[in-house]
Amino acid sequence: MKKPRIAVIGAGSSGLAATKQCLDDELEPVCFEQSSHTGGLWKYVDIDNTENKDPHSSIFKSVIINTSSKKMTFSDFPIPPEWPVYLHNSLVAKYFDMYAEHFNLLAHIKFNTTVINVSILPDKRWRVRYVTRGEGNDEEKEDIFDYVMVCAGHHRFHRWPKYKGMDVFKGEQIHSHFYRRAKYFEDKRVLVVGAGNSGLDISVELSYVASQVYLCVRRGTLPWIFPHILNGKPLDYYSRFFGTMLPSSLISAYYKKSIKNTLGELPPDIKPKEPIFSSHITMKSSIFERIISGTLIVKKNIKELKSDKSIEFVDGSILEDIDVIIYATGYNIEFPFLDRNIVSGGEEIEKQFDEEYRENLAWMYKMIFPPKYPNIAFIGLVQPDGPIFPVAEMQCRYVTSLIKGFVKPLPSPSEMERCIRKSQEKNLKQFYSSARHTVEVNFITYMDELAEDIGCYPYSLAILRKYGFGVWKNVHFGLFNPIQYRLLGRHSWEGAPEAIFLYNTVDPKIGKTLKNNEKTKNRSNGKYWLLLTLIGLMVVMKKTRALETVTAFGKKLIGNQ
């Protein structure tokens, strides 16, 4: 029987996972990559040293990833446990190269090849037109595929704000997509617009070399800012029990109290006014050191840019002689090779949302499938509150399982529409309406939902029977990591139990800190363990009223803001 042919567009983290999973399920993938390397945006490109002044890569020289290495690993190819907790971009790119080599993926990738059009045929297959750059000439071709997996990401087409006077401002204006090194901004007066992760990273870095840095917060106040190390361990070193069993109100109270203890009380004029998890997680606690030193000054939103290089803000204040404005204002979800309606659901759906939200609307069932086109899948078109790499891998496992018939078929288009609407309504209740929040998902919850369909969810009793108490304890109360999804079901991995055990040992890079903390814990920690035990019992017994009582007790212990 002829193998289904799969077009994989992009050889970044999502495209590599898609190509690998297609091979695992005996499909025939052809991966199209416009650059000469794997890794997507994680392969640093210095714009000054290349003819391509607008590369796909959007990272700058000093970028450190915001998720811990043990959380961001692919499930059957663990990042070496001796690597640092938070990886420099060069190590992230190296890991993808190792992954591609280990699973022999390079032979299935067409490098220097740009997909220019993907269109559906009457028989529901897909025509893919592409151009391959050669020595002195470009060659355009087309091919037919049974399925398309779009793995091109959503950090390519930079999003610009709209301010009065942008066309007359005499200073330099760039998007953070083109920022590479701080040295180019020495002794300049710089305004960074946007308080997401990129905006905070750039503003802090520049505050050491520029004559003055200003940070424009468009919503008026800073977002909730999380430190990389919280209570003596990496921020995302939490267990499955913590991430899935505890009430969200208790988790919110815990983080608010811990952040306050770590960073101190924030100035009232920049203190967050939104609920703690109402926006995508932002991490850069060192910003407060720069603020109190005066090398970084927080400003409200821009009202108008002037031709004399001055800027007026909504509070009436004015900055003069600004040399550079860096817009760290995110990206648009665009796929130039596809009809936009495939992604957004069409004009009738778009007009139901406000202007900013609809511009980045992704109308997808399970954040993967457009209801009217069930044989095209979007991989990595999500923004989880955790690492995207294992999420994309899980999406790939779901898609290939669907193609092979190992999971139940997709529901009818009308049922998919209903599920998408329900998901979007839930999203808008938690997050404020913004273009950056259209594809937000909860890391563990989303992975678990797909894992249940695939059959690789780490069911408690099944793990206890198959592996014993030690693995069961690590799965539920040790560090949550994607390797848990290789213990059961198709494509389970015999090395998973040992890898989980290694990932739950003390990290050599911060082991001393953790051990010292064991000696200096205050007495209240006993209360926390009592609280966790009680909540666990209530969850198991499904005593809702008792669980509410324990939650209230927990909030009292932790202390509300």
Side-chain angles (χ1 to χ4, degrees):
M1 184 176 178
K2 187 178 179 181
K3 295 180 180 179
R5 302 190 72 227
I6 317 297
V8 177
I9 302 176
S13 60
S14 298
L16 293 177
T19 304
K20 186 259 184 186
Q21 195 56 46
C22 284
L23 295 173
D24 283 354
D25 274 325
E26 299 182 337
L27 305 173
E28 185 181 331
V30 178
C31 180
F32 300 93
E33 170 53 45
Q34 64 181 1
S35 71
S36 59
H37 54 75
T38 64
L41 65 87
W42 286 100
K43 188 77 73 170
Y44 172 74
V45 176
D46 194 332
I47 296 175
D48 284 355
N49 298 328
T50 177
E51 294 181 2
N52 182 8
K53 300 305 179 184
D54 186 10
H56 177 75
S57 173
S58 60
I59 60 167
F60 44 95
K61 184 70 173 178
S62 62
V63 164
I64 303 292
I65 198 164
N66 274 338
T67 53
S68 61
S69 56
K70 294 178 181 178
K71 264 301 203 304
M72 61 168 268
T73 186
F74 288 124
S75 61
D76 60 351
F77 188 71
I79 291 176
E82 67 273 12
W83 280 21
V85 176
Y86 292 104
L87 303 182
H88 183 265
N89 63 79
S90 59
L91 278 179
V92 177
K94 179 179 179 180
Y95 173 61
F96 294 141
D97 287 341
M98 292 165 58
Y99 182 84
E101 182 178 355
H102 180 78
F103 292 111
N104 301 312
L105 305 182
L106 298 181
H108 302 275
I109 302 174
K110 290 181 178 291
F111 289 105
N112 300 309
T113 301
T114 301
V115 173
I116 56 177
N117 183 258
V118 176
S119 57
I120 195 162
L121 299 171
D123 64 0
K124 304 304 180 184
R125 293 186 299 165
W126 295 90
R127 176 188 288 117
V128 176
R129 289 175 47 223
Y130 58 93
V131 173
T132 300
R133 298 186 301 280
E135 292 291 336
N137 66 306
D138 295 343
E139 185 177 8
E140 182 174 330
K141 294 182 179 180
E142 66 176 47
D143 208 344
I144 308 300
F145 294 90
D146 302 292
Y147 219 104
V148 174
M149 297 175 75
V150 180
C151 307
H154 54 99
H155 291 93
R156 173 64 182 90
F157 297 96
H158 27 287
R159 181 181 182 86
W160 292 80
K162 300 172 183 176
Y163 291 124
K164 182 180 178 181
M166 290 177 70
D167 57 333
V168 299
F169 182 75
K170 292 295 192 296
E172 185 180 2
Q173 299 179 74
I174 68 169
H175 193 277
S176 59
H177 178 85
F178 300 99
Y179 176 84
R180 288 298 182 268
R181 297 190 185 194
K183 67 178 183 179
Y184 302 124
F185 301 88
E186 285 188 15
D187 301 322
K188 293 186 176 183
R189 287 169 57 80
V190 182
L191 173 69
V192 179
V193 179
N197 285 300
S198 294
L200 298 192
D201 281 347
I202 292 171
S203 59
V204 168
E205 180 167 282
L206 290 182
S207 69
Y208 290 95
V209 300
S211 63
Q212 183 62 60
V213 177
Y214 300 91
L215 174 65
C216 171
V217 289
R218 293 185 291 167
R219 293 184 62 81
T221 61
L222 286 172
W224 283 94
I225 296 176
F226 293 73
H228 284 80
I229 301 296
L230 192 67
N231 294 329
K233 61 182 181 180
L235 177 69
D236 60 2
Y237 269 35
Y238 54 80
S239 66
R240 169 173 287 278
F241 174 81
F242 181 90
T244 63
M245 294 295 189
L246 298 186
S248 59
S249 58
L250 186 58
I251 293 175
S252 295
Y254 165 78
Y255 277 113
K256 288 170 70 175
K257 184 67 174 179
S258 297
I259 290 171
K260 181 179 179 180
N261 289 342
T262 303
L263 304 179
E265 193 70 54
L266 304 183
D269 59 327
I270 61 173
K271 184 176 180 179
K273 292 182 173 59
E274 304 282 353
I276 189 169
F277 290 116
S278 63
S279 65
H280 187 67
I281 289 177
T282 304
M283 299 172 65
K284 198 65 177 180
S285 57
S286 57
I287 188 174
F288 300 112
E289 300 172 8
R290 310 313 296 163
I291 290 174
I292 63 175
S293 72
T295 55
L296 193 157
I297 298 173
V298 178
K299 301 293 292 182
K300 304 292 185 181
N301 200 13
I302 294 173
K303 180 180 179 181
E304 184 178 356
L305 279 62
K306 310 284 188 177
S307 60
D308 60 356
K309 293 174 63 176
S310 66
I311 301 173
E312 182 180 356
F313 296 86
V314 293
D315 61 0
S317 63
I318 295 176
L319 289 179
E320 297 180 345
D321 197 25
I322 296 298
D323 299 302
V324 185
I325 301 175
I326 301 175
Y327 295 106
T329 47
Y331 293 82
N332 291 320
I333 294 175
E334 294 181 14
F335 302 101
F337 49 83
L338 272 177
D339 181 350
R340 172 179 164 76
N341 289 334
I342 293 178
V343 181
S344 69
E347 292 183 4
E348 288 300 314
I349 289 175
E350 288 181 49
K351 69 183 183 182
Q352 299 172 31
F353 301 90
D354 66 43
E355 181 179 359
E356 184 177 6
Y357 196 85
R358 79 166 68 107
E359 287 181 5
N360 263 3
L361 188 62
W363 197 253
M364 307 280 180
Y365 177 68
K366 294 186 181 293
M367 295 305 299
I368 302 173
F369 305 102
K372 297 177 182 177
Y373 304 90
N375 62 335
I376 185 170
F378 290 80
I379 306 299
L381 188 56
V382 290
Q383 185 164 263
D385 55 357
I388 194 171
F389 314 134
V391 172
E393 180 193 40
M394 186 65 77
Q395 290 178 320
C396 295
R397 295 178 69 183
Y398 183 90
V399 171
T400 60
S401 295
L402 181 70
I403 296 172
K404 296 290 288 186
F406 292 114
V407 299
K408 62 183 180 181
L410 295 177
S412 66
S414 61
E415 176 61 17
M416 284 194 276
E417 295 273 0
R418 188 190 68 80
C419 292
I420 297 170
R421 189 172 302 281
K422 183 178 179 181
S423 176
Q424 288 289 348
E425 289 172 353
K426 181 180 178 182
N427 183 300
L428 284 168
K429 285 181 180 179
Q430 178 176 350
F431 305 101
Y432 63 78
S433 181
S434 169
R436 72 180 300 198
H437 291 143
T438 60
V439 291
E440 283 282 337
V441 296
N442 177 271
F443 178 57
I444 299 184
T445 301
Y446 182 73
M447 297 255 283
D448 279 354
E449 289 175 357
L450 294 180
E452 286 180 356
D453 290 338
I454 297 170
C456 64
Y457 179 84
Y459 289 104
S460 184
L461 290 179
I463 289 174
L464 195 59
R465 284 197 299 264
K466 184 174 182 179
Y467 297 104
F469 179 74
V471 174
W472 177 90
K473 181 181 69 173
N474 276 329
V475 166
H476 292 284
F477 298 99
L479 169 67
F480 172 82
N481 66 77
I483 303 171
Q484 296 181 4
Y485 299 110
R486 290 288 178 173
L487 291 170
L488 302 172
R490 282 192 332 115
H491 300 307
S492 58
W493 174 44
E494 63 180 12
E498 182 180 355
I500 289 173
F501 174 77
L502 286 175
Y503 269 22
N504 276 286
T505 57
V506 176
D507 194 296
K509 297 295 182 183
I510 58 171
K512 185 175 181 180
T513 300
L514 293 176
K515 289 176 182 178
N516 286 343
N517 282 348
E518 290 291 330
K519 298 177 182 179
T520 58
K521 284 180 180 178
N522 60 45
R523 295 176 182 178
S524 66
N525 276 5
K527 295 179 181 178
Y528 284 110
W529 281 110
L530 174 62
L531 171 63
L532 292 177
T533 303
L534 289 173
I535 292 175
L537 290 172
M538 295 305 108
V539 170
V540 172
M541 297 170 64
K542 297 182 179 179
K543 299 289 187 180
T544 305
R545 184 172 299 176
L547 182 56
E548 291 174 352
T549 302
V550 174
T551 302
F553 173 62
K555 282 187 174 182
K556 188 174 180 181
L557 279 180
I558 294 172
N560 287 314
Q561 293 285 345

